[in-house]
Amino acid sequence: MSKKVFVHVPYSQIAEHLPFILERKLNPEIYLSADALDAATPAQLAETARALKGEGLSCTIHAPFMDLNPGSLERMLRDATMHRFRQVLDAAELLRPEVMVFHPGFDRWRYGEAQGQWLELSVAAWREVLPRTREIGTVVAVENIFEEEPSTLKALFEAVQEPSFGHCFDVGHWNLFKRVGMEEWFEALGGWIREVHIHDNSGTRDDHAPPGDGAIDFKLFFELMDKYAPDAAFTIESHSRPHLENSLQVLAPYLG
């Protein structure tokens, strides 16, 4: 494939899936949950990095996200979030990912009237993270989760103003929560896209289905990617090997 393609792999399952990854020459996006970070040793992380490098492969990292929020108005939650972020940055020093994906922690139902406070606190958190990611040589990409339109993420990127700090556009999440079309989203955030997550759904639940099994217009998606972010990383977020095989087959004309 001519595009740089990655596939979702939880670190807790890396030993199980590594032979398949190496055999198929697939670059993994390694999801490091909080539990995985607590359990992983530097030696284990370094061995994973050596195995990938030995086959000419690279990786990206998906940072922990459950119950975390860098812009939380609760200081203790921010402290817990930054503890996990520091842990995943320690792992990144060994794995040397091309991109690190983080969740923003924002939703309008909780922060609608406190968006400014959330933004200020979030910016401070990212300014703590970015010096280390620059040293590692990786890019931070903040993923859309519950965002219905792009203004909150746009405000974050404009406030931080860092070339290595951008957007991970998750097309499946966009389809679930959207109040704007894909073209409008790309017009607002396309220039900040550093990575995309590819999976499909019908707009009612986060199925992580193969492209073509849901309602997303992937022809339009790839046209917009070619226009706005042709050099971004593409991650297939399949949650089973059959779905991954199906996705690779369906996406080959777009990514090859």
Side-chain angles (χ1 to χ4, degrees):
M1 290 185 174
S2 58
K3 301 289 188 184
K4 197 60 176 287
V5 180
F6 299 82
V7 298
H8 166 82
V9 184
Y11 188 73
S12 60
Q13 300 173 22
I14 197 75
E16 174 188 351
H17 294 298
L18 192 58
F20 172 76
I21 289 168
L22 298 179
E23 178 186 351
R24 294 290 298 272
K25 303 292 186 183
L26 298 171
N27 302 293
E29 173 150 296
I30 300 172
Y31 169 47
L32 284 158
S33 67
D35 288 343
L37 286 169
D38 286 341
T41 67
Q44 290 169 337
L45 292 165
E47 179 55 35
T48 298
R50 282 193 293 271
L52 294 173
K53 186 176 181 180
E55 295 297 327
L57 301 173
S58 61
C59 72
T60 56
I61 284 176
H62 196 305
F65 60 87
M66 189 62 70
D67 297 325
L68 303 180
N69 185 351
S72 173
L73 274 62
E74 168 55 64
R75 179 187 57 79
M76 294 180 71
L77 292 181
R78 293 199 307 276
D79 290 347
T81 299
M82 297 312 295
H83 171 71
R84 292 305 186 188
F85 283 9
R86 285 188 286 271
Q87 281 184 301
V88 80
L89 289 166
D90 290 343
E93 288 186 352
L94 297 167
L95 291 169
R96 296 286 162 172
E98 296 191 22
V99 184
M100 297 183 72
V101 177
F102 293 82
H103 285 193
F106 180 86
D107 73 76
R108 70 181 180 94
W109 297 107
R110 285 186 295 167
Y111 293 104
E113 295 184 0
Q115 182 175 334
Q117 290 174 273
W118 175 88
L119 178 61
E120 181 179 353
L121 293 165
S122 186
V123 169
W126 296 118
R127 286 180 175 158
E128 180 180 335
V129 166
L130 286 167
R132 288 195 65 187
T133 58
R134 284 195 293 267
E135 290 176 2
I136 293 166
T138 189
V139 169
V140 171
V142 180
E143 179 180 352
N144 57 299
I145 307 300
F146 303 118
E147 284 76 13
E148 299 169 334
E149 45 81 26
S151 65
T152 307
L153 290 173
K154 184 177 181 181
L156 178 62
F157 301 140
E158 289 178 339
V160 174
Q161 282 296 332
E162 166 63 51
S164 63
F165 182 73
H167 182 30
C168 173
F169 177 59
D170 188 304
V171 68
H173 295 165
W174 164 82
N175 194 52
L176 285 173
F177 301 107
K178 66 181 185 295
R179 287 194 291 147
V180 303
M182 201 187 305
E183 290 171 301
E184 184 176 340
W185 191 284
F186 272 79
E187 286 170 5
L189 297 182
W192 276 289
I193 291 177
R194 305 293 182 262
E195 179 175 326
V196 290
H197 283 170
I198 301 173
H199 53 104
D200 207 349
N201 63 68
S202 297
T204 57
R205 53 176 289 174
D206 198 12
D207 297 310
H208 283 263
D213 284 11
I216 296 172
D217 184 347
F218 279 95
K219 181 176 183 295
L220 174 62
F221 169 77
F222 281 103
E223 288 174 354
L224 292 168
M225 286 299 298
D226 285 341
K227 178 179 179 180
Y228 288 97
D231 298 323
F234 291 78
T235 294
I236 301 171
E237 274 206 326
S238 297
H239 288 175
S240 71
R241 192 172 297 183
H243 278 187
L244 174 59
E245 296 279 17
N246 190 338
S247 297
L248 288 167
Q249 183 176 358
V250 171
L251 294 171
Y254 296 107
L255 298 174

